Amino acid sequence: MMNIRTLGILLRKEILLMKRNPFIPRIIIAMPLLVMLVLPLVVNLDVKNVGIAIVDNDRTELSRRIASDMSASEALSVKAIGFSYEDALSLVENGKADAIVVIPADYSKKLSIGGEVPRLEVDANGVNATKGMIGANYAAQSAIATLKKWMGEQAGVEIDAYGGSVVNLFNPTLDFRNYMIPALMVVLIIIICGFLPALNLVSEKETGTIEAMNVSPVGKFTFVLSKLIPYWIVGILVITVGMLIGWLVYGLVPAGNIVSIYLAAILFSLVMSGLGVAIANSSSTILQSIFVMFAFIMVFQLMGGLFTPVSSMPEWAQMVTYAIPPRYFIEIMRSVYLKGATVQDLWVQYLALSAFAIFLCGVAAKTYRKRS
Amino acid sequence: MNNAIDIRGITKKYGSLTALDNVTFSVPEGMMLGLIGPDGAGKTTLYRILTTLLSPDAGTATVAGLDTVKDYKGIRAEIGYMPERFSLYQDLTVNENLHFFASLFGVKVEDNYDLIAPIFHQLSKFPNRRAGALSGGMKQKLALGCALIHRPKVLLLDEPTTGVDAVSRSEFWDMLATLKEKGITILVSTSYMDEAQRCERIALIDKGRILDVNTPEKLVEGLGEHIYNVSAEKMYPLLEALRSLPEVKNCYTFGATLHIATESGFHPADAIRRLSDMGLTDVKIYPANGDIEDLFIKLAGNGE
C-alpha cells in the first residue's frame, strides 16, 4: 500500500514540477509579502487622532489639567474646549470631533469632599463606531491617569475615586497590528495550502496525466501523500516568510516558542491540504474545485475569529466555530505571539488541529479513486 | 496459443446509455489486433475496463492471464497503456518523463532501451526539451516510449494516431509492427479505416457491439456484395437518384466518388441509361474493390 521508494520518486516529480511552474514559487513569496505588508495598512482598526470636544463646566485647575493631558496624548487631539454641550455636539455632527468629554460643574470640589463620586461623562459618536468607541475609551483612560496623578498629589485622598479602569493585557498599546499579524499568517496558510493541492490534483485530471498514474502500480495512499507532503513544506516556508516580515517590518516577535508556532503551522497545513485534496477528488474541473474551496475559505475567514472575535459572535455561531479548524490555529498563533503560551497551555487546540488533520487527510485518501 | 486478452460478455452502461453490449473477443499472444469503429462506439470504455480503471457491469476480462477486477494490481505491471489524450507531464523534459515512468515501475531506462530505441532515435536529439513543446507526432512517440519502458506484455493503445500528420502516422504503424515482432501483444484502436489494413486481425465495433472479428482480407472477401464506383457531373443529385434505384442497397460518399453496394442483378449499362433519363450527365459506373470502410458501412447499416 505504502511504498517509500515510490513516494520518493513522486515527491521528486512534484518538487520538479513546482519549481518549473512559473507561478507557484512566486506566489509562495509574493502572497505573504502582499498580505503581510499591505493588509495591515489598509485594514487598520487602530485609532489615532481622535477628535475630542471638551465641555468644561468645572473650570478649575483640575479640569484644565484633564484637558491639557488629553491634548498631550498621542491618540487624542482636543478640538475645542467650551462651555456648552450644544457647541460640542455640533462639532461631532460636522465630523470635527469623535467624542465629547463633559466635566460636570463642581467636579473637583465634590471629588475633594469625598462621599458620592462625581462622574465624568464621555459620549462617543456612534456613526464611526470603531473610532468613537475606542476614542472614548482612550479619553477615559487619559482622564483616569490625570485623576490618579492629581489625587496622589493631594495627600490623603484615596485613589480608587473613579470606579474601575480599562487595562489592555498582552497588547498594552492595543496595537491592532499585533492582533492581526499572527492571524494574517493563518490566512496565508488557508489560501496557499488549501488552493494549491486542489489545483495541482485537478489539473492532473484536466491534462490527463492522472490516467497514466492510475494505470501505474502506484498505490493510492502513496499518491495522495505525494500531493500532501509538498504543502507541509510550503506551509513552513510561508509561515517563515510571514514571521520574518512580522519581525523586520513590524518588530513583532513571538513572546512564546517558535517551535510551537511551527508545530501548529504543520498541523494546519495538513488540515488545509487534506481538505484541498478531498475537494479535488470530487471535482472534475479546476473551476469547480475553486468554487467549492472558496465556499470553505469564506466560512473559515469569517467564522474563524480572524476579524470578528469568536466571543462577540452569537452563541449558536460560537458553537459552530468549534467545527472550524482555523479557529484553533488563530487561537494558538495569538496566544503564542502575544501571551507567550506554550504547547502545554494550548494542548486542547493542538489536539483539535491534530484530529482535523487526521480526519481530513483520511477523507482525502479514502475519496481518491483509481478505479470507478 | 494462449490469449493475451480475453473478453467475455462485457457489458457497461452509463445510465440509460449502453456503452458496451455483451462484448466478446480475444487476442492471442503476439498478435496485433485493431479495434475499428466510429467515435462513440465504445472503444475507450473497453480500454478503461481492460486497464482496470473501470469495472464492467457484467462479464469478465483477462489481460495477460489476470482478471481485470480481481487482479487489477497485478495487471498494472503487465500492461502498457497509451490513452487517447496525451498523458505525460508537459512541464517535464523528454528524459525526465522517461526516467520518471521507468522508476515508477522499478526499472532502469538502460535495461529496456533496446525496446524503445527505434522510437527514440529521433527524440534522443533533444532530451531536454519539455514534453509540452514537442510536435504531435513526437508526443505520440514519447508516450509510446513511456508506455513501453517497463517491457509490458500487452500494449493497449487508444487511438494513438488521432491528430497526427500522415507521415508520422505511417511511421507510428511501422513501429508497432516492430514491437509485434518482439512478441508484444497489441490492441490498437483507430477510427481511420486505412490504418485498419495494417492490423493482423480486426474487430469491428459500433454502438457498443462487436460486429465481426477477422483478418482484413477475410473481412473484405466476406463483403459478399458488389461494390461499384459511381460518378457524375453533379454529385448530389446523383446520390439521391442512386438511392431511388431498387437494386442499390446502399450508397455513400467514398472520397471524391460514390460507392454503391448492389444486388447481384445490377447492370451498370442499364443503370447509366436510367440515370441519364433522370437528367444526370457524364455518369460513370465501374466495379470497385471493396475495403474495410465498405464493410463497416454494410455492417453498421444492418444493425439499424
Side-chain angles (χ1 to χ4, degrees), chain B residues 37-86:
Chain B
D39 288 339
K43 299 190 295 287
T44 298
T45 304
L46 186 60
Y47 274 101
R48 294 182 64 82
I49 288 171
L50 293 178
T51 52
T52 76
L53 294 176
L54 199 66
S55 300
D57 295 334
T60 57
T62 61
V63 177
L66 299 165
D67 188 277
T68 54
V69 177
K70 285 182 219 130
D71 299 321
Y72 70 94
K73 279 188 180 156
I75 285 186
R76 287 175 184 162
E78 305 293 343
I79 57 169
Y81 173 43
M82 205 175 135
E84 191 177 347
R85 255 169 61 197
F86 183 65

Side-chain angles (χ1 to χ4, degrees), chain B residues 109-123:
Chain B
V109 171
E110 297 75 40
D111 296 343
N112 291 330
Y113 197 76
D114 61 301
L115 194 63
I116 61 163
I119 301 161
F120 246 67
H121 100 104
Q122 270 179 304
L123 276 166

Side-chain angles (χ1 to χ4, degrees), chain A residues 55-270:
Chain A
V55 183
D56 185 1
N57 292 329
D58 190 34
R59 287 173 240 177
T60 57
E61 195 198 331
L62 174 64
S63 71
R64 277 190 292 277
R65 211 162 132 183
I66 291 174
S68 67
D69 280 356
M70 281 187 189
S71 58
S73 151
E74 257 182 60
L76 304 175
S77 112
V78 175
K79 298 291 180 196
I81 304 174
F83 310 112
S84 121
Y85 191 80
E86 281 68 35
D87 289 350
L89 196 59
S90 71
L91 281 176
V92 172
E93 278 167 353
N94 60 34
K96 293 206 172 82
D98 304 291
I100 303 171
V101 175
V102 184
I103 307 170
D106 300 331
Y107 183 68
S108 67
K109 204 199 252 166
K110 280 182 188 163
L111 212 58
S112 324
I113 297 165
E116 198 198 335
V117 180
R119 301 195 80 94
L120 263 180
E121 189 184 319
V122 183
D123 300 338
N125 179 9
V127 174
N128 185 347
T130 325
K131 201 169 184 185
M133 289 308 292
I134 296 178
N137 206 348
Y138 283 166
Q141 281 183 56
S142 163
I144 291 163
T146 312
L147 283 174
K148 276 187 178 170
K149 235 162 115 194
W150 183 75
M151 286 180 175
E153 287 159 18
Q154 319 280 309
V157 181
E158 286 297 320
I159 286 179
D160 60 344
Y162 184 94
S165 66
V166 184
V167 181
N168 291 297
L169 290 166
F170 310 122
N171 188 4
T173 53
L174 202 74
D175 192 337
F176 182 68
R177 280 177 194 160
N178 294 355
Y179 180 73
M180 276 313 285
I181 285 164
L184 286 177
M185 296 182 204
V186 179
V187 175
L188 287 173
I189 295 195
I190 289 181
I191 294 174
I192 293 180
C193 294
F195 270 117
L196 290 187
L199 295 184
N200 177 312
L201 191 54
V202 182
S203 76
E204 287 225 22
K205 284 190 189 178
E206 284 200 340
T207 56
T209 48
I210 202 140
E211 291 271 284
M213 285 290 104
N214 287 349
V215 295
S216 74
V218 175
K220 70 175 188 174
F221 284 100
T222 316
F223 184 73
V224 169
L225 262 186
S226 80
K227 294 288 171 199
L228 292 176
I229 291 175
Y231 298 99
W232 306 350
I233 300 164
V234 169
I236 290 171
L237 278 177
V238 165
I239 207 91
T240 307
V241 174
M243 286 201 290
L244 280 175
I245 296 174
W247 172 49
L248 294 173
V249 179
Y250 302 106
L252 186 66
V253 276
N257 197 332
I258 286 184
V259 177
S260 40
I261 289 178
Y262 276 116
L263 179 64
I266 291 173
L267 285 175
F268 190 66
S269 328
L270 265 180

Side-chain angles (χ1 to χ4, degrees), chain B residues 10-11 18-25 35-38 40-43 46 203-213 296 299-304:
Chain B
I10 290 280
T11 298
T18 305
L20 290 175
D21 186 4
N22 197 20
V23 168
T24 301
F25 70 92
L35 187 62
I36 316 292
K43 299 190 295 287
L46 186 60
L204 292 171
I205 183 170
D206 187 43
K207 298 190 183 75
R209 288 175 302 114
I210 295 291
L211 304 177
D212 203 351
V213 186
F296 195 82
L299 293 172
N302 290 351
E304 274 168 49

